[in-house]
Amino acid sequence: MKNYAVALDGPAGSGKSTIAKRVARKKQLLYIDTGAMYRAVAQFCIQNGIDTQKEAAVVEALPHIQIDVIAKEDGQRILLNGEDVTEKVRSQAAGKGASDVAVMLDVRETLTKMQRELAKGNSVIMDGRDIGTNVLPDAQVKIYLDAKVEVRAERRCKELRELGQEADFETVKLQIEQRDAADKNRKYNPLRKAEDAIEIDSSYMTMEEVENMVCSIIEKKIQEKRG
Ligand code: DC
């Protein structure tokens, strides 16, 4: 077995992107952050005055949205119609808009197709909500990363403050709860643990401990498959 895929799913703020980046570096995998792609669709809507809750308008905009994902040493860059929006898509508005457009079947099908193409011919670690269940159902390694909502809210506040944005704990916690509900209850490809995924609760673990655990799961799984 030459190439293999690691599907890393879980709710907002569970530490997926931090872990995916670290594991990608250690295991020489291509890191693909699929949430950034939903955020890029939302960013296009924000920049063009399109309401992210209006499905017809978002679907009409889709053919005008070109998303390029570029792998770099220190993570992924995301281009929206040629503009590097990697930092812009981290805003709360883009996150909320991403959650809105993620319920739309046309958006999901378009992005799922792109994500499968990106995974072809490479060993990848892909993070998102539906990677193990929908995008890469045959992934050799599936991990579901979770943490208590308070811990996730605290982590998100820290991330936002580091980006120079204001962050009130109670507001962020409420937003995360709303995001969880939207992600878990949507009709198409909702967030859920794949049957064959290994669950990790990172609430009381350091990122280093989670990274080591994920790396040893990968090594064990790949060895088993190689027989
Ligand atoms: O991981 P994130 O916060 O960047 O994701 C932004 C939104 O995109 C999130 O509300 C759910 C959605 N998303 C999705 O529906 N499917 C994915 N594979 C990745 C993200």
Side-chain angles (χ1 to χ4, degrees):
M1 185 171 57
K2 263 165 62 195
N3 291 321
Y4 66 90
V6 181
L8 182 60
D9 290 301
S14 58
K16 295 187 302 292
S17 62
T18 306
I19 293 305
K21 264 184 231 161
R22 294 171 73 142
V23 172
R25 202 170 309 135
K26 205 159 168 180
K27 309 295 293 176
Q28 310 251 288
L29 303 171
L30 175 66
Y31 165 50
I32 302 163
D33 169 6
T34 63
M37 297 164 80
Y38 287 88
R39 286 169 180 264
V41 171
Q43 183 65 29
F44 179 89
C45 294
I46 293 167
Q47 288 181 4
N48 291 279
I50 297 165
D51 185 339
T52 50
Q53 291 186 333
K54 297 247 160 74
E55 182 156 4
V58 175
V59 171
E60 204 180 296
L62 270 182
H64 307 287
I65 304 177
Q66 165 78 29
I67 296 172
D68 291 295
V69 174
I70 298 169
K72 289 261 160 112
E73 266 290 295
D74 53 348
Q76 160 189 297
R77 306 299 299 177
I78 186 134
L79 306 189
L80 171 60
N81 293 338
E83 182 198 353
D84 188 331
V85 291
T86 312
E87 278 78 31
K88 270 190 195 160
V89 300
R90 304 318 311 167
S91 72
Q92 298 216 57
K96 161 75 179 62
S99 186
D100 290 340
V101 302
V103 304
M104 300 169 189
L105 184 60
D106 285 34
V107 173
R108 300 207 68 84
E109 284 183 340
T110 303
L111 296 187
T112 296
K113 216 185 274 171
M114 281 184 64
Q115 289 154 11
R116 288 184 183 144
E117 280 302 316
L118 287 166
K120 268 190 196 153
N122 292 298
S123 279
V124 299
I125 181 163
M126 193 178 274
D127 89 30
R129 304 291 191 287
D130 63 336
I131 311 306
T133 54
N134 169 54
V135 180
L136 303 174
D138 298 327
Q140 287 78 0
V141 185
K142 295 184 188 179
I143 291 165
Y144 188 87
L145 189 59
D146 208 345
K148 287 188 194 311
V149 68
E150 290 76 15
V151 175
R152 292 189 281 128
E154 195 44 66
R155 288 179 187 158
R156 198 57 119 194
C157 282
K158 195 165 162 265
E159 186 186 280
L160 288 167
R161 288 187 194 119
E162 279 167 6
L163 289 169
Q165 296 174 25
E166 274 185 36
D168 167 63
F169 176 79
E170 286 304 328
T171 311
V172 171
K173 180 169 165 257
L174 187 68
Q175 283 167 347
I176 286 190
E177 283 167 342
Q178 287 167 344
R179 188 81 47 87
D180 283 358
D183 288 344
K184 288 179 178 168
N185 297 318
R186 67 168 173 244
K187 190 168 167 194
Y188 306 109
N189 316 127
L191 166 66
R192 66 178 173 81
K193 177 183 164 297
E195 265 174 35
D196 49 350
I198 294 174
E199 184 164 355
I200 301 175
D201 182 338
S202 73
S203 302
Y204 305 109
M205 292 170 80
T206 64
M207 287 297 145
E208 195 175 5
E209 286 168 338
V210 180
E211 175 191 343
N212 290 337
M213 186 177 268
V214 172
C215 285
S216 49
I217 292 170
I218 293 174
E219 281 152 25
K220 191 164 166 276
K221 286 273 173 195
I222 298 307
Q223 210 153 36
E224 273 171 21
K225 308 256 172 185
R226 284 190 174 132

